[in-house]
């Protein structure tokens, strides 16, 4: 986590240098101003979103999840897993531990693939906390419509691939 | 700082989540949730600020004409491939990727490229793969999932370019700088 933050800040510096050389302090100030404008939308929303996700994580029924997305659940399981993934709150720090628990509990690999894909592309909390405030609802609608079939495609692809290698 | 409708939705979600916690496990559950949220906030803040700055700096660096020709409506499959590759190597979480997407939008990238970028970042982002998925899910699972996900950003971008022509899903004009 600290390594990731260091890398990201190194990139910020690497971007700031050419801006400063080209436009001087004025360019840096303008860049910070636009960062501030984008960030203002998040100031109330982000803490509340994180709070909601953390609360929901405490009460999610994991055992029930496993029973409906087992390896034999086929396309129905893949569809259900896609929806569940899309509604799963939290970032990778909450969803990967959860996905591992569900996989070890006996869910199927294609179903978990669909679940992670659903979580990755739909991510309700991310839409509400970042995407809608920054990009607007029209963009969100277009992106969600364009991504509807992706989790199912990934799940079916994983199933085919598994049959191929085993 | 203004309170908007979606802030109220979040307030409602947080309250409902808190109530559900309290109902299931009493105050210890509520406090565990609160502690987790504070920890997460402290963890993402430095990266969020960096991401916002990245977006602002990129907007100053890239020229509108260049982005429009590389990632604009006429950029074809090449534009989608380029956007997907950029998305896959973008480090950090939504706090870095969305400010960058916004900057690219302002600079002239079209809906297909923006959606290919975001889908690649979300599905095959190297950063998340290395930091989270490999350690948790293991090599075999990760390989299977990444292999089947490789074509998906292009697919989403192509679908977006088709859908964006319908009046219902047409994009707003990009905000001026």
């Amino acid at each position: 986590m600290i390594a990731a933050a260091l890398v990201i800040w190194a990139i910020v510096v690497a971007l700031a240098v050419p801006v400063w050389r080209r436009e001087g302090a004025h360019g840096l100030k303008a860049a910070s101003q636009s960062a501030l404008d984008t960030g203002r939308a998040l100031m109330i929303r982000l803490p509340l979103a994180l709070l909601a996700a953390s609360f929901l994580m405490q009460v999610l029924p994991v055992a029930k999840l496993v029973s409906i997305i087992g390896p034999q659940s086929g396309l129905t399981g893949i569809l259900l897993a896609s929806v569940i993934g899309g509604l799963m709150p939290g970032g990778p720090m909450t969803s990967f531990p959860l996905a591992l628990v569900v996989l070890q509990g006996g869910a199927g690999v294609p179903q978990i693939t669909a679940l992670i894909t659903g979580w990755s592309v739909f991510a309700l909390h991310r839409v509400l906390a970042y995407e809608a405030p920054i990009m607007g609802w029209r963009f969100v609608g277009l992106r969600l419509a364009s991504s509807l079939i992706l989790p199912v495609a990934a799940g079916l692809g994983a199933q085919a691939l598994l049959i191929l290698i085993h | 700082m203004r309170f908007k409708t979606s802030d109220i939705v979040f307030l409602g979600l947080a309250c409902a989540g808190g109530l559900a916690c309290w109902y299931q496990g009493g105050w210890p559950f509520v406090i565990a949730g609160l502690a987790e949220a504070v920890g997460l906030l402290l963890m993402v803040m430095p990266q969020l600020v960096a991401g916002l700055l990245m977006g602002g700096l990129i907007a100053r660096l890239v020229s509108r004409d260049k982005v429009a020709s590389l990632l604009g409506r006429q950029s074809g499959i090449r534009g989608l491939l380029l956007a997907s590759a950029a998305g896959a190597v973008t480090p950090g979480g939504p706090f870095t990727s969305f400010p960058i997407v916004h900057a690219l939008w302002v600079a002239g990238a079209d809906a297909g490229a923006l959606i290919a970028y975001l889908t690649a970042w979300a599905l095959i982002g190297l950063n998340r793969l290395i930091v989270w998925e490999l350690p948790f899910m293991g090599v075999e699972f990760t390989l299977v999932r990444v292999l089947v996900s490789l074509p998906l950003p292009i697919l989403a971008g192509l679908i977006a370019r088709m859908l964006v022509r319908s009046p219902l899903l047409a994009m707003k004009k990009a905000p001026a700088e």
Side-chain angles (χ1 to χ4, degrees):
Chain A
M1 214 53 215
I2 290 174
L6 281 180
V7 170
I8 290 172
W9 276 99
I11 296 175
V12 172
V13 174
L15 288 170
V17 170
V19 170
W20 180 71
R21 279 183 30 195
R22 205 190 292 174
E23 306 179 15
H26 163 76
L28 293 182
K29 230 167 120 182
S32 320
Q33 186 59 47
S34 89
L36 201 67
D37 290 342
T38 320
R40 196 164 293 150
L42 299 171
M43 274 198 294
I44 306 173
R45 219 154 302 175
L46 187 66
L48 287 175
L50 291 178
L51 195 60
S54 309
F55 279 147
L56 292 176
M57 275 304 296
Q58 307 277 325
V59 292
L60 226 61
V62 174
K64 259 192 213 140
L65 268 182
V66 173
S67 64
I68 52 174
I69 53 172
Q72 306 307 321
S73 58
L75 184 60
T76 322
I78 289 178
L79 280 170
L80 275 172
S82 309
V83 175
I84 295 168
L87 297 175
M88 234 158 69
M93 60 287 275
T94 50
S95 47
F96 278 114
L98 187 77
L100 182 64
V101 172
V102 181
L103 186 65
Q104 285 176 339
V109 168
Q111 284 76 21
I112 295 292
T113 301
L115 183 113
I116 291 183
T117 310
W119 164 74
S120 303
V121 297
F122 298 140
L124 194 63
H125 66 285
R126 203 175 65 208
V127 168
L128 292 168
Y130 297 96
E131 192 170 13
I134 294 178
M135 299 298 292
W137 283 105
R138 282 201 89 91
F139 179 81
V140 172
L142 178 67
R143 194 184 63 77
L144 293 184
S146 310
S147 308
L148 268 185
I149 60 163
L150 300 189
V152 180
L156 291 176
Q159 196 151 38
L161 193 63
L162 282 176
I163 292 169
L164 221 77
I165 50 180
H166 283 300
Chain B
M1 219 152 68
R2 285 211 332 269
F3 220 71
K4 287 196 189 151
T5 327
S6 35
D7 297 329
I8 296 169
V9 172
F10 273 105
L11 191 63
L13 271 177
C15 291
L19 262 178
C21 273
W22 182 77
Y23 183 75
Q24 280 215 342
W27 288 113
F29 268 47
V30 177
I31 290 166
L34 265 172
E36 167 124 357
V38 172
L40 283 177
L41 190 64
L42 289 178
M43 204 153 84
V44 301
M45 271 321 259
Q47 299 187 52
L48 175 62
V49 174
L52 290 169
L53 283 173
M54 252 190 243
L57 290 167
I58 287 174
R60 310 242 26 120
L61 278 180
V62 296
S63 83
R64 225 191 131 80
D65 293 344
K66 199 153 192 193
V67 172
S69 76
L70 282 176
L71 300 175
R73 203 169 306 145
Q74 309 301 330
S75 61
I77 294 277
R78 275 180 63 138
L80 296 183
L81 274 170
L82 190 67
S84 304
V89 299
T90 299
F95 28 82
T96 53
S97 63
F98 282 106
I100 292 174
V101 165
H102 188 262
L104 289 175
W105 185 28
V106 172
D110 86 317
L114 295 178
I115 283 169
Y117 173 94
L118 274 176
T119 308
W121 165 78
L123 279 181
I124 52 176
L126 286 175
N127 182 66
R128 196 191 77 190
L129 231 62
I130 294 166
V131 179
W132 297 101
E133 189 162 5
L134 274 172
F136 273 106
M137 308 301 287
V139 178
E140 192 191 335
F141 178 88
T142 307
L143 264 181
V144 168
R145 198 194 62 75
V146 170
L147 271 179
V148 300
S149 300
L150 278 180
L152 299 182
I154 309 287
L155 181 65
L158 286 173
I159 296 176
R161 277 184 178 167
M162 244 160 50
L163 290 179
V164 79
R165 287 195 222 130
S166 87
L168 188 69
L169 289 168
M171 285 268 284
K172 244 180 5 188
K173 247 183 84 174
E177 258 179 90

